[in-house]
Amino acid sequence: MAEVFDVAVVGAGPAGVAAACRVAERGARVALVDEGFRPGGQIYRHREGRAPAAIGEWMARLARLKVDVIHRTAVHDALRLDGKFQLRAESVHLEARKIVLATGARELLLPFPGWTLPNVFSAGGLQALVKSGLEVAGKPVVIGGSGPLLLPVAATLAKAGAKVELVCEQARRASLARALPWLARSPRKLAEALSYQAAFGPSRYRTSTWISEAIGTDRLEAVVTNSARRVSCDFAGVSFGLVPNVELAVLLGCELRDGFVVVDRRQQSTVPGVFVAGEPCGIAGVDGALGQGLVAGDAACRDVTVTADVEAARGWYEYKPPPLLRSFALRHEVLELARADTVVCRCEDVRLSRFDPEWSAREAKLATRASMGPCQGRICGPALDAILGYGADCVRCPAKPATFESLLIPEDRK
Ligand SMILES: Cc1cc2nc3c(=O)[nH]c(=O)nc-3n(C[C@H](O)[C@H](O)[C@H](O)COP(=O)(O)OP(=O)(O)OC[C@H]3O[C@@H](n4cnc5c(N)ncnc54)[C@H](O)[C@@H]3O)c2cc1C
């Protein structure tokens, strides 16, 4: 039997934790489900007993409240049945009257020669490994790609004792300068950026620079930049921005615009009863995620089923990327780094030469098996969209890797 909750929240990052706390404070029965070992999400990922001060207050609030926290549980399917929502994961099936999706974002990985070598990670992936205990003290590292995320990643590595040799930002200095007036109005963000740079050394941060090749035999030994500079390193972390995790929202029928879930000012999607908070409805940073989580939690406890209201609100509540993010628009050079023999879909080992730019994403999938592996296109899908303009394919269950047994509905199990 699936357990029935008033509200089920998927994702225990800042948005999901805030939503679950608010629901519990209103006296409703709430489950908070996350695939990680403990709440915190990407920014506050931590080891047992070492919660960063910034999330400590939220952790204490969560612990005080009656929230059923379900860890290490990746929800691979979400559907509406008999007026209730069902969330399906490997070990549990949950039922809830309302749902809050706070599934965050993942990184955009663009293929380049050597990117599949051991010890080449995504920037956030490398940061996550270090937060989980990977030993990098004294080791040379290079961080590359694009976006504000490169700064905290480089700072985390430097604080862990790594020698941050270079932080390569593909955007031009002039493009980043256009965000300065916006940053000047957000002194806290500016101070944060400067403190990150101070941690790894501002002179290591290079604009108009990217890793054009990773070199090594059985593991990474060096990277080569677009100016033909060779930098020896043991680890590289490379990513080119964030892609919202909207798969569960799409499975539930929520409308997207420009890749983000459309929500009204109470964070309700176009599907009544499905609320979305944090990165899936716009890349807005941790403060935005916390605020949206509180609003979504609040709204999920009230009887909010007014589709007409969503329609009316949609016009003005349209997500626009903050000027800071627009400054990191990708240059054509980084979209052209992959060579004919570069692996693009690493699950199915498909090289760039196999793809025909005239295909749709569906045709590419059928002809090459790209995106049919364990990641189900979560990595190569956005990359193929960026470099070949394939556009998103439809989303199907499972949204996360799952065993066949867990895909069966309970009645089908012997
Ligand atoms: C890899 C990475 C590293 C980042 N590091 C930093 C940083 O150091 N500093 C900074 O300022 N910002 C960082 N950010 C940006 C930061 O995550 C956002 O600014 C903001 O905190 C997002 O909050 P959120 O609650 O929307 O999402 P997140 O914090 O991403 O939380 C989403 C949670 O949902 C879980 N989840 C997703 N799908 C499922 C599913 N199907 N089933 C179960 N659980 C699921 C995820 O595991 C995650 O715990 C990072 C982003 C990424 C992608």
Side-chain angles (χ1 to χ4, degrees):
M1 285 286 287
E3 286 194 69
V4 184
F5 291 85
D6 294 316
V7 181
V9 180
V10 186
V17 168
C21 285
R22 184 48 67 92
V23 172
E25 280 160 2
R26 296 205 161 264
R29 184 155 187 238
V30 55
L32 175 61
V33 192
D34 193 281
E35 61 194 337
F37 287 93
R38 53 197 68 88
Q42 301 294 3
I43 180 171
Y44 298 133
R45 189 184 293 277
H46 60 278
R47 287 157 88 182
E48 185 65 44
R50 296 196 196 173
I55 186 93
E57 197 186 304
W58 284 100
M59 289 299 187
R61 195 163 160 182
L62 195 61
R64 269 199 314 273
L65 292 161
K66 200 169 165 355
V67 176
D68 284 61
V69 183
I70 304 168
H71 307 291
R72 298 170 73 175
T73 300
V75 177
H76 58 67
D77 199 7
L79 58 157
R80 186 165 197 161
L81 269 184
D82 305 329
K84 286 198 249 19
F85 295 100
Q86 269 203 11
L87 296 177
R88 294 178 177 174
E90 290 270 322
S91 48
V92 285
H93 279 189
L94 299 180
E95 279 189 8
R97 290 176 189 91
K98 306 271 176 63
I99 296 245
V100 178
L101 297 175
T103 44
R106 58 186 183 271
E107 294 164 277
L108 173 62
L109 309 187
L110 295 178
F112 59 90
W115 75 295
T116 51
L117 269 174
N119 287 358
V120 179
F121 297 97
S122 72
L126 182 54
Q127 183 195 43
L129 286 173
V130 170
K131 285 181 180 176
S132 312
L134 176 72
E135 194 49 69
V136 290
K139 306 247 163 95
V141 301
V142 173
I143 303 300
S146 194
L149 179 61
L150 304 187
L151 296 179
V153 169
T156 303
L157 277 129
K159 284 180 190 156
K163 288 196 276 177
V164 179
E165 302 287 351
L166 187 63
V167 182
C168 311
E169 168 54 62
Q170 58 89 42
R172 293 184 175 83
R173 185 178 293 270
S175 174
L176 298 188
R178 281 200 286 277
L180 282 177
W182 180 83
L183 262 183
R185 288 196 301 277
S186 326
R188 202 159 62 83
K189 289 271 162 231
L190 188 58
E192 215 172 78
L194 293 174
S195 80
Y196 290 143
Q197 284 209 351
F200 61 80
S203 64
R204 312 273 169 190
Y205 188 76
R206 295 288 160 82
T207 51
S208 287
T209 305
W210 54 87
I211 296 170
S212 44
E213 185 167 7
I215 295 173
T217 42
D218 56 353
R219 64 176 184 83
L220 177 69
E221 288 162 20
V223 297
V224 179
T225 69
N226 52 318
S227 57
R229 180 177 164 200
R230 183 187 164 108
V231 185
S232 298
C233 53
D234 287 353
F235 295 101
V238 192
S239 62
F240 290 85
L242 299 180
V243 180
N245 291 326
V246 296
E247 290 76 10
L248 294 179
V250 173
L251 286 172
L252 283 165
C254 302
E255 193 183 312
L256 302 187
R257 186 176 301 138
D258 298 331
F260 294 101
V261 183
V262 174
V263 287
D264 68 5
R265 58 186 144 152
R266 283 167 298 182
Q267 301 299 134
Q268 187 172 222
S269 71
T270 49
V271 176
V274 178
F275 298 80
V276 186
E279 312 276 61
C281 41
I283 307 294
V286 61
D287 297 334
L290 283 167
Q292 291 174 12
L294 288 173
V295 172
D298 233 350
C301 293
R302 295 196 217 132
D303 197 13
V304 186
T305 50
V306 261
T307 318
D309 183 73
V310 178
E311 292 295 335
R314 213 179 292 170
W316 67 264
Y317 198 70
E318 200 174 326
Y319 170 69
K320 293 206 176 49
L324 183 66
L325 290 186
R326 291 205 295 270
S327 299
F328 293 99
L330 295 181
R331 299 166 59 144
H332 72 90
E333 293 97 323
V334 299
L335 301 175
E336 292 161 7
L337 286 172
R339 297 180 193 142
D341 64 347
T342 303
V343 168
V344 176
C345 167
R346 57 194 305 174
C347 296
E348 295 290 333
D349 235 351
V350 190
R351 292 169 197 272
L352 184 63
S353 57
R354 294 278 317 279
F355 296 96
D356 181 337
E358 299 301 314
W359 285 340
S360 65
R362 173 55 57 92
E363 286 167 325
K365 189 173 183 171
L366 292 174
T368 70
R369 292 191 54 83
S371 84
M372 285 186 174
C375 94
Q376 289 286 290
R378 285 165 55 82
I379 294 173
C380 66
L384 284 167
D385 186 20
I387 63 181
L388 291 172
Y390 278 168
D393 194 12
C394 66
V395 174
R396 281 171 187 254
C397 157
K400 293 272 174 175
T403 58
F404 278 118
E405 194 197 8
S406 69
L407 297 178
L408 300 174
I409 53 171
E411 309 83 78
D412 289 346
R413 290 193 181 149
K414 293 226 165 87

